[in-house]
Amino acid sequence: MKFDTVIIGGGLAGLLCGLSLTRQGLRPAIISRGQSGLHFSSGSLDLLAHAAQQTLAEALDTLSAEEPIHPYSLLGKSAVLDYARQTETLLAECGIALLGQVDQPHRRITPIGTLRQAWLTPPDIALAPQQGERIAVVGISGFIDFQPHLVAASLRQTGVNVEALEIALPQLDVLRDNASEFRSVNLARMLDDGEQWRSLHAALLQLASEYDRLLLPACFGLQDNGLWHWLNETLPCPVALLPTLPPSVPGIRLHTLLQRQFAKNGGVWLAGDAVTDIIHDGQNISAISTRNHGDVPLRTRFAVLASGSFFSNGLIASREGVFEPLLGLDVLQSAPRESWTRRDFFEPQPWQRFGVQTDTSLRALRDGKRFDNLFAIGGVLGGFDGITQGCAGGVSAVTALHVARQIAELAGGQP
């Protein structure tokens, strides 16, 4: 099998890179081992949330001066802003509705009731309360992955008029026999059934007239947000959702929509597969073998490493250090091992910045030498802390589109 590009990893970065390539007339393949980080995310994307006191342009200038190896700094302010706007357009053209713009960040409510700046957010996810708004945080009896009292307590600290309530949905009793079954995804599979909509509506109707907004756990809307739209059309007050403990329904929905569009555009999705060998001459990748296609290597003109960080085994930690398992690429890391973490759990952790080293074009390095046709994008990159800096989604999107643009330009110049 021959492809223009083989992308290793089917998370946000891999999918956005693949989608961008298909829109430029190329034929990419994505090798996906299984669940990606999106399945455990809120469904919102951050661009640079830690810089809430500056404009984005100012924050990028500061970042470039203070952290020259951050992926944003490697690409430059103008490129980051341009790719972020292109991401908004790409998602919209895929039929994925998200609130927000590069120049207009907003605040959303987190699963523990704090407020966090965001770049793009699904329309059903709860945004920051309005002045004087009366809010009810509504839990579902027996659902332990969402704690309405915790959310309400956090919101009260910001002066919000909020109460924590609970509703009972007897139709979910079939899931209670096994605690591992009473999770958001399984609840969504039941509640998304049109026959269940009215029972949820009836339980909420008793509360809706007393409040300006109801906040519910995001445990419905696995395929689309039709139920959320219907509730907002038929209840006396609006309903918004809060992501729960993983797995995350909004994150899974975003991943599913991206994956479907990628396949619709002609991309090849190799699900449940894993790379077993990468054939190269030290400078160029020529083919990639996988577990499910061992006898038929995937021949490719370009390769993209979008394998993520430690969570998805894109990086592996050992007693000797951190390494990239597929090619032994150069990894940005500190030594000794004791320097990887800090005692205070809530402090930024040094290991979060570990990752593959690249040149300024995001070509991967091994022994200080770059591969000419192998790029790295997203969480596998070093030099940034996606959690503390609030840039995980932005780095995935911006680097994905940057690499897709380079591949398209290079492919256009080849026979």
Side-chain angles (χ1 to χ4, degrees):
M1 292 186 286
K2 294 183 179 181
F3 299 96
D4 293 303
T5 305
V6 171
I7 301 169
I8 303 169
L12 178 63
L15 279 164
L16 288 176
C17 184
L19 280 164
S20 182
L21 290 172
T22 61
R23 293 173 73 244
Q24 297 178 80
L26 299 180
R27 184 172 181 256
I30 292 179
I31 302 170
S32 174
R33 295 180 62 176
Q35 291 181 327
S36 76
L38 279 176
H39 289 73
F40 302 87
S41 75
S42 67
S44 294
L45 302 182
D46 297 336
L47 198 54
L48 199 57
H50 89 303
Q53 304 305 316
Q54 296 179 294
T55 67
L56 181 58
E58 291 171 343
L60 289 171
D61 284 334
T62 301
L63 188 71
S64 179
E66 297 178 353
E67 302 189 35
I69 61 173
H70 191 289
Y72 288 169
S73 301
L74 294 179
L75 302 187
K77 177 177 67 176
S78 297
V80 170
L81 295 173
D82 184 40
Y83 289 129
R85 294 187 182 97
Q86 289 181 38
T87 299
E88 295 172 1
T89 301
L90 174 60
L91 292 170
E93 291 177 350
C94 290
I96 300 174
L98 294 171
L99 303 176
Q101 294 179 358
V102 169
D103 301 319
Q104 298 178 12
H106 57 275
R107 294 190 300 167
R108 63 178 178 87
I109 305 175
T110 72
I112 59 173
T114 57
L115 301 180
R116 183 178 176 89
Q117 181 170 294
W119 165 34
L120 298 173
T121 297
D124 51 354
I125 298 300
L127 302 185
Q130 302 296 315
Q131 184 70 32
E133 188 178 18
R134 297 171 303 159
I135 293 177
V137 183
V138 184
I140 297 174
S141 179
F143 182 48
I144 61 175
D145 289 349
F146 179 77
Q147 300 295 322
H149 290 85
L150 176 62
V151 176
S154 294
L155 288 174
R156 286 193 197 103
Q157 293 180 4
T158 65
V160 177
N161 181 4
V162 58
E163 292 187 53
L165 305 173
E166 192 170 83
I167 58 174
L169 297 174
Q171 68 268 35
L172 301 178
D173 286 346
V174 65
L175 299 176
R176 300 181 196 275
D177 294 337
N178 186 338
S180 66
E181 295 297 321
F182 211 68
R183 294 291 182 261
S184 59
V185 172
N186 295 317
L187 268 64
R189 293 192 177 105
M190 292 195 66
L191 293 176
D192 285 347
D193 184 342
E195 296 182 0
Q196 305 292 339
W197 288 18
R198 294 199 175 278
S199 60
L200 176 60
H201 181 277
L204 296 176
L205 185 60
Q206 301 177 42
L207 311 174
S209 61
E210 303 294 325
Y211 300 94
D212 297 316
R213 185 166 46 146
L214 303 180
L215 305 185
L216 274 67
C219 57
F220 55 83
L222 198 57
Q223 300 297 322
D224 57 54
N225 53 15
L227 174 53
W228 173 76
H229 278 296
W230 182 74
L231 290 174
N232 278 278
E233 291 169 355
T234 55
L235 288 173
C237 77
V239 171
L241 306 181
L242 292 174
T244 67
L245 290 177
S248 164
V249 169
I252 293 173
R253 184 175 69 226
L254 176 58
H255 185 274
T256 300
L257 292 172
L258 289 170
Q259 179 188 340
R260 287 178 177 171
Q261 190 63 44
F262 174 71
K264 182 178 179 181
N265 287 3
V268 176
W269 179 261
L270 303 176
D273 209 348
V275 174
T276 56
D277 188 28
I278 298 180
I279 302 169
H280 63 90
D281 60 7
Q283 189 173 8
N284 284 282
I285 307 294
S286 58
I288 297 174
S289 297
T290 71
R291 181 177 58 207
N292 296 344
H293 302 83
D295 296 334
V296 184
L298 313 179
R299 303 197 177 279
T300 184
R301 297 162 69 183
F302 302 93
V304 178
L305 188 65
S307 51
S309 188
F310 297 96
F311 174 79
S312 54
N313 292 326
L315 299 173
I316 303 293
S318 69
R319 292 185 179 275
E320 290 71 35
V322 175
F323 65 95
E324 187 283 312
L326 297 179
L327 282 165
L329 299 173
D330 295 346
V331 173
L332 176 70
Q333 59 187 292
S334 62
R337 187 184 177 99
E338 290 74 20
S339 68
W340 296 1
T341 59
R342 291 177 177 161
R343 289 184 178 275
D344 187 341
F345 177 80
F346 294 100
E347 284 189 45
Q349 299 297 319
W351 63 266
Q352 294 276 13
R353 294 174 177 268
F354 295 177
V356 167
Q357 292 182 291
T358 70
D359 65 5
T360 56
S361 65
L362 301 184
R363 286 177 170 85
L365 304 179
R366 191 172 75 161
D367 298 328
K369 299 179 181 179
R370 78 175 194 181
F371 280 89
D372 288 340
N373 68 342
L374 172 64
F375 299 85
I377 60 175
V380 75
L381 291 168
F384 75 101
D385 183 338
I387 295 176
T388 303
Q389 295 177 313
C391 63
V395 167
S396 290
V398 166
T399 58
L401 267 61
H402 178 67
V403 164
R405 178 179 179 179
Q406 291 181 86
I407 290 175
E409 290 175 350
L410 291 169
Q414 295 183 16

